[in-house]
């Protein structure tokens, strides 16, 4: 069993459940236009007295400094970057449409999304010149690569894409457990990405993991 750490995002995934939802369609006409993350963080802070964004950011900065020191020692010892590969499974929750239509996305479209994700984390975007000055000292290649899972939890060969007929037309944030329960692989070994038709105005959402790491005990 492999454990993975994220150097770019403020999240270390160990014994954690990562939920990343990507909204392709919304129940309203057209695409949604706003990100719900700030609202989700406010809701989490209200529900969990021990969770504070300021407290987490302070903890994060301490980890950043440790990471910088370890990375310097690592490069001196080995002289090159060590890319960590993270196996990804895309759970396509569709409505019974033919492959490649509607919510039953084609593999080509998923390929493009995976390529975009890797380009982001390797900092190969064409807009890196627009990085704000305060972030330039930290902006870097995260030294991780997202790849399609090659084996499923039972050890059988897989494409890294699982297609499931959904039991609802769409899913709201409050129904995220319903959505993820329709198809899930152990988060200790895979990065789970669900693709579905989301209700409301959200483009999608991601959640902090559940972890016993210092600083994350109250984040659930």
């Amino acid at each position: 069993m492999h454990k993975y750490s994220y150097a770019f995002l403020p999240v270390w995934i160990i014994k954690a459940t990562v939920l990343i939802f990507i909204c392709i369609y919304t129940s309203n006409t057209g695409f949604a236009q706003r990100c719900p993350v700030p609202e989700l963080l406010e809701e989490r802070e209200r529900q969990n007295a021990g969770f504070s964004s300021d407290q987490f950011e302070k903890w994060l900065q301490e980890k950043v400094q440790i990471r910088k020191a370890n990375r310097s020692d690592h490069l001196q010892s080995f002289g090159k970057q060590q890319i960590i590969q993270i196996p990804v499974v895309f759970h396509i929750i569709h409505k019974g449409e033919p492959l490649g239509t509607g919510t039953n996305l084609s593999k080509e479209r998923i390929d493009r999304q995976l390529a975009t994700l890797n380009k982001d984390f390797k900092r190969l975007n064409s807009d890196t010149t627009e990085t704000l000055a305060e972030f330039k000292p930290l902006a870097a290649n995260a030294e991780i690569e997202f790849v399609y899972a090659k084996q499923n939890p039972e050890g059988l060969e897989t494409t890294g894409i699982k297609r499931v007929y959904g039991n609802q037309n769409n899913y709201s944030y409050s129904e995220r457990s319903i959505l993820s329960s329709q198809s899930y692989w152990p988060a200790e070994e895979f990065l789970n990405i669900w693709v579905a038709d989301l209700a409301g105005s959200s483009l999608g959402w991601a959640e902090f993991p559940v972890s016993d790491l210092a600083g994350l005990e109250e984040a659930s």
Side-chain angles (χ1 to χ4, degrees), residues 32-47:
Q33 297 297 325
R34 67 187 183 91
C35 175
V37 171
E39 294 179 14
L40 299 182
L41 288 176
E42 289 177 6
E43 176 186 339
R44 183 173 291 253
E45 288 191 24
R46 287 195 301 269
Q47 295 177 353

Side-chain angles (χ1 to χ4, degrees), residues 161-211:
I161 300 175
K162 186 173 181 181
R163 301 178 185 275
V164 178
Y165 181 79
N167 58 18
Q168 296 184 187
N169 285 330
N170 52 52
Y171 303 84
S172 65
Y173 175 70
S174 63
E175 297 172 321
R176 59 193 182 281
S177 61
I178 297 175
L179 175 57
S180 61
S181 67
Q182 296 182 67
S183 182
Y184 168 81
W185 290 7
E188 294 87 353
E189 301 177 63
F190 305 94
L191 172 62
N192 289 277
I193 298 181
W194 287 265
V195 183
D197 190 348
L198 302 187
S201 58
S202 297
L203 286 170
W205 59 80
E207 292 196 3
F208 284 100
V210 176
S211 175

Side-chain angles (χ1 to χ4, degrees), residues 129-160:
T129 55
E130 301 176 18
T131 303
L132 297 177
E134 54 265 40
F135 295 120
K136 284 184 178 180
L138 295 175
N141 184 337
E143 300 178 24
I144 60 177
E145 181 181 15
F146 300 93
V147 298
Y148 285 115
K150 296 178 175 60
Q151 291 184 326
N152 67 13
E154 289 73 41
L156 301 176
E157 185 177 355
T158 180
T159 62

Side-chain angles (χ1 to χ4, degrees), residues 32-169:
Q33 297 297 325
R34 67 187 183 91
C35 175
V37 171
E39 294 179 14
L40 299 182
L41 288 176
E42 289 177 6
E43 176 186 339
R44 183 173 291 253
E45 288 191 24
R46 287 195 301 269
Q47 295 177 353
N48 300 275
F51 178 81
S52 165
S53 294
D54 291 338
Q55 177 184 356
F56 182 81
E57 290 300 328
K58 180 178 181 296
W59 172 83
L60 175 62
Q61 289 306 314
E62 294 174 356
K63 294 297 183 182
V64 168
Q65 297 307 316
I66 295 173
R67 169 73 177 177
K68 283 183 176 180
N70 291 343
R71 183 174 186 275
S72 177
D73 293 342
H74 166 77
L75 291 178
Q76 290 179 9
S77 300
F78 297 95
K80 63 179 181 180
Q81 292 180 335
Q82 189 174 40
I83 305 300
I84 297 175
Q85 288 192 330
I86 299 178
V88 180
V89 53
F90 285 86
H91 305 278
I92 309 301
I93 313 300
H94 61 83
K95 303 177 184 179
E97 302 99 324
L99 180 62
T101 62
T103 55
N104 197 2
L105 304 183
S106 67
K107 183 178 183 301
E108 290 73 20
R109 193 167 180 181
I110 302 170
D111 286 344
R112 292 199 300 270
Q113 184 59 53
L114 188 64
T116 298
L117 187 63
N118 279 311
K119 184 177 288 187
D120 287 340
F121 277 79
K122 293 178 181 179
R123 201 166 185 262
L124 297 175
N125 310 73
S126 59
D127 62 353
T128 54
T129 55
E130 301 176 18
T131 303
L132 297 177
E134 54 265 40
F135 295 120
K136 284 184 178 180
L138 295 175
N141 184 337
E143 300 178 24
I144 60 177
E145 181 181 15
F146 300 93
V147 298
Y148 285 115
K150 296 178 175 60
Q151 291 184 326
N152 67 13
E154 289 73 41
L156 301 176
E157 185 177 355
T158 180
T159 62
I161 300 175
K162 186 173 181 181
R163 301 178 185 275
V164 178
Y165 181 79
N167 58 18
Q168 296 184 187
N169 285 330

